[in-house]
Amino acid sequence: MSASQSVKKIIEINPYMLGTMAGGAADCQFWHRNLGVKCRLHELANKRRISVTGASKLLANILYSYRGMGLSVGTMIAGWDEKGPGLYYVDSEGGRLKGTRFSVGSGSPYAYGVLDSGYRYDMSVEEAAELARRAIYHATFRDGASGGVASVYHVGPNGWTKLSGDDVGELHYKYYPVEAEVVEQEMAELPVT
Amino acid sequence: MESVFGLVGKDFAIVAADSSAVHSILVHKTNEDKIMILDSHKLMGASGETGDRAQFTEYIQKNVALYQFRNGIPLTTAAAANFTRGELATALRKNPYMVNIIMAGYDKDIGPSIYFIDYIASLHKLDKAAFGYGSYFALSMMDRHYRKDMIVEEAIDLVDKIIMEIRSRLVVAPPNFVIKIVDKDGAREYAWRESIKDAPVPGV
């Protein structure tokens, strides 16, 4: 993010569903907020929470109807419903994919590399959070357009909780601490004459 | 680019499609099902822009179902193909759908059939058809080895040969394919051909 280092890129749609932001910030914020409204209306009309499948489809259909008009949205909808955890990738071209892991944005290839090599379906929450944090850090290291804060959220049966929000500069020194350089021969100080 | 191809056999029709969901240089998913089952005896394999593909094929599927609800009998394959072509043609000069379709169906009195419908709404009833970069290999191989009235095993053997060829000769070749079949017993998934397996997960 060139304008600001502290933009919230994880949007809280409702207490058990999150959306991620990539592409145009305004588009993502607006349409996620709009999706939150539609999800609440669904709850009121049907007396039950909307599924992640349904929420992602609502968003995908809206974005599809605006295709070709210049919206720029690359988002993941993550949530927990009766069928358990759900993750969908939705973009402004109208694409919608169900999957177990996704990476979106300019730094996404870098993140995919770290994510794919460390991923197992039966990871613990701590392992998964660390893998996610690592993947974001490595993407910010290589991609000029990525940086700032690596936020990690957990989505469980009782909704989401924020696990951490670390500045990637600090993560860098945590993962790769500065080591004292090995100096073979110290230069002797010349006497001042 | 997405590959879809299909052929008609003795009393069945087969459609095969690759299963990569791609965005620029990234492969988001390797097990995306691009062959939609329209109703009990119709299949539609589609390739093209992601959003258009999923949305348009679902639109056709729901309209096919609606016809059956309203009229009590299902559409014939020819009718469904012509309806699909009509929808593409109507949208063409305003808001075109960038989807190429191979529709396969089995009708009791006619037997199996395949329809080639491209994104500019041309429609052809054919014995063999293919779309995408894979079509460069699929079409010539089908022209060489296809015979009328092949049995399932022979047809699947040809499909597998084509998949091998696409995998080995196409520079950005999709690793995984799905094969679906339609015959008198209905439309169903026949097999997956996977050379890259996603992490195993129930029900994705």
Side-chain angles (χ1 to χ4, degrees):
Chain A
M1 272 306 298
S2 55
S4 164
Q5 288 295 325
S6 57
V7 173
K8 271 191 76 172
K9 292 190 185 174
I10 296 188
I11 300 157
E12 296 146 11
I13 298 169
N14 61 43
Y16 55 96
M17 222 182 293
L18 295 171
T20 63
M21 182 198 293
D27 287 339
C28 288
Q29 272 183 7
F30 181 90
W31 290 109
H32 277 123
R33 191 87 189 255
N34 182 271
L35 178 63
V37 168
K38 289 201 161 60
C39 290
R40 179 68 183 134
L41 287 172
H42 175 101
E43 270 176 47
L44 292 169
N46 297 283
K47 278 193 179 176
R48 52 190 271 175
R49 282 181 180 172
I50 192 171
S51 61
V52 187
T53 313
S56 61
K57 190 117 192 165
L58 275 177
L59 182 64
N61 286 341
I62 293 168
L63 293 177
Y64 183 69
S65 67
Y66 284 95
R67 78 191 158 109
M69 298 190 203
L71 285 186
S72 170
V73 173
T75 184
M76 292 181 275
I77 304 293
W80 193 287
D81 57 31
E82 282 163 10
K83 294 209 172 97
L87 178 64
Y88 285 83
Y89 163 82
V90 177
D91 69 24
S92 45
E93 325 231 316
R96 172 174 167 268
L97 298 171
K98 182 170 165 54
T100 52
R101 62 193 186 282
F102 290 109
S103 175
V104 190
S106 58
S108 59
Y110 303 111
Y112 260 133
V114 175
L115 198 59
D116 287 336
S117 53
Y119 174 82
R120 288 177 349 262
Y121 186 69
D122 56 353
M123 296 170 88
S124 70
V125 174
E126 293 76 28
E127 288 177 311
E130 186 52 29
L131 181 64
R133 200 173 297 120
R134 214 63 211 243
I136 297 289
Y137 158 73
H138 281 283
T140 63
F141 184 71
R142 284 292 182 179
D143 178 38
S146 300
V149 171
S151 312
V152 181
Y153 284 68
H154 171 260
V155 185
N158 301 315
W160 56 260
T161 45
K162 182 162 183 177
L163 294 179
S164 68
D166 299 293
D167 184 290
V168 294
E170 282 166 34
L171 283 181
H172 174 77
Y173 292 110
K174 182 172 148 226
Y175 294 140
Y176 300 103
V178 178
E179 285 159 14
E181 276 193 20
V182 177
V183 178
E184 271 144 30
Q185 192 176 33
E186 291 217 356
M187 276 198 16
E189 289 257 342
L190 285 176
V192 175
T193 41
Chain B
M1 225 234 134
E2 302 171 6
S3 304
V4 187
F5 58 93
L7 53 100
V8 173
K10 186 164 163 49
D11 47 13
F12 64 91
I14 277 179
V15 176
D18 77 288
S19 58
S20 318
V22 162
H23 196 101
S24 159
I25 60 163
L26 280 183
V27 180
H28 279 304
K29 209 173 165 190
T30 51
N31 58 357
E32 173 81 345
D33 186 355
K34 297 177 192 170
I35 305 179
M36 180 154 274
I37 293 183
L38 294 184
D39 71 11
S40 63
H41 287 75
K42 281 183 210 45
L43 290 176
M44 182 158 70
S47 76
E49 249 184 58
T50 323
D52 284 351
R53 173 175 52 74
Q55 295 273 5
F56 183 73
T57 55
E58 229 182 88
Y59 172 70
I60 298 298
Q61 186 194 51
K62 301 315 175 202
N63 272 284
V64 167
L66 181 61
Y67 181 94
Q68 182 157 1
F69 285 134
R70 280 184 174 154
N71 301 288
I73 51 164
L75 279 167
T76 60
T77 311
N82 277 283
F83 170 71
T84 304
R85 188 216 94 89
E87 291 301 305
L88 285 168
T90 312
L92 179 62
R93 299 292 185 177
K94 288 192 174 123
N95 193 10
Y97 294 106
M98 305 298 287
V99 207
N100 298 310
I101 286 166
I102 294 185
M103 190 179 291
Y106 185 93
D107 304 294
K108 240 171 66 167
D109 40 353
I110 299 173
S113 51
I114 262 184
Y115 289 85
F116 166 106
I117 308 167
D118 73 9
Y119 73 102
I120 28 182
S122 54
L123 171 71
H124 296 283
K125 182 176 184 306
L126 298 170
D127 287 333
K128 44 190 163 37
F131 280 113
Y133 286 131
S135 70
Y136 285 99
F137 312 104
L139 286 172
S140 58
M141 287 179 76
M142 287 196 288
D143 289 339
R144 170 69 182 84
H145 296 293
Y146 177 86
R147 289 174 336 272
K148 272 189 119 55
D149 298 334
M150 288 168 89
I151 58 170
V152 182
E153 287 72 26
E154 293 173 321
I156 291 292
D157 193 57
L158 178 53
V159 166
D160 279 332
K161 282 203 175 71
I162 293 169
I163 291 174
M164 285 289 134
E165 189 65 12
I166 293 174
R167 274 185 186 151
S168 56
R169 284 295 187 184
L170 190 54
V171 63
V172 200
N176 297 344
F177 285 79
V178 62
I179 304 172
K180 295 201 181 176
I181 190 172
V182 60
D183 59 16
K184 68 176 187 346
D185 300 322
R188 59 195 179 279
E189 196 176 277
Y190 182 87
W192 284 81
R193 298 289 186 237
E194 289 176 307
S195 60
I196 291 183
K197 276 194 162 50
D198 259 334
V201 151
V204 167

